[in-house]
Amino acid sequence: LKAYNWVGVGMLALAIALVGLTSVLADDSVGGRNPVVGVLLILAGAFVQSLQYAFEEKVMTGDVSAPPLLVIGMEGFWGTVICTVVLYPLAYMLPGTDHGHLEDPANTLAMIKNSPTVQHVLVWYFIFIFLYNTFGVLVTYLLNSVWHAILDNFRPVTVWGVDLFIFYVVTEGALGEAWTQWSVLELLGLGILLLGTAVYNSNIRLPGFSYDDLFHAGELSTPAMARSPLMSAAMEHARAQGVPNSLREKLVTAYVSPKASRQSQYGFITSDAGR
């Protein structure tokens, strides 16, 4: 990453901290709940998730790269195994309010069996989680794990906006989340989040930082696209075939697999290639 990329990442971290601070300041619950512990657990989960993103990028861009759908399938398989063998037995052994357990699998199965609403929610949940994971892994594959993490931070902000809409427009205060005195911090965090994303992608250029004009250098338009295995592989093949620099920009919108025949390998090159 270049220096301006790190500035963008720092702004995104600040935005996340502001949203987390809002949860701590706005908490008025009783009964021994500690929002600080909750925020720390969320940060620990985010750290583990960052390792997952980095691992996904590693296995999909290595010498023996794994297809994105294979990565999704293996993550789902091992997640199911761990939940079934480790987490569910542990939740059953710990004391709780679910028939004396923290989680009672028998009670869960009974709810699914006897509630059509729960069945429908589960079906839609599986569909949307599959689509979410698929698009997330594709972002890592085509761009990188940093972009995956950046775009993932828009999810809680979107949920907050939908909660406000439900509270004030749809249910008139019955459901959703109300605007509080601390909501300004969340709105400020959203602004910094958008600004940090623009800085990272060099849409907003800060004074004192070096920005490469990648198109004139014969590269792709952004550092993220230059690191994409889809685009960088096509660029390397174009260089090997002696494609002129003026034509490499077309790789952004037209890519032909390197396994194609020699005559059609660079079918995007038009008749003006010899100029």
Side-chain angles (χ1 to χ4, degrees), residues 105-120 122:
N107 188 37
T108 302
L109 293 175
M111 291 176 60
I112 297 175
K113 180 180 179 181
N114 297 294
S115 175
T117 301
V118 174
Q119 295 172 7
H120 294 156
L122 281 177

Side-chain angles (χ1 to χ4, degrees), residues 217-220 225-245 247-249 251-252 254-258 265-266 268:
E219 300 290 344
L220 296 176
M225 293 186 70
R227 286 191 297 273
S228 168
L230 185 67
M231 296 298 184
S232 60
M235 184 65 69
E236 290 301 323
H237 285 295
R239 286 173 177 161
Q241 295 292 326
V243 178
N245 292 342
L247 295 178
R248 290 180 188 170
E249 298 179 12
L251 288 170
V252 176
Y255 170 77
V256 180
S257 171
Q265 186 174 7
Y266 296 100
F268 61 88

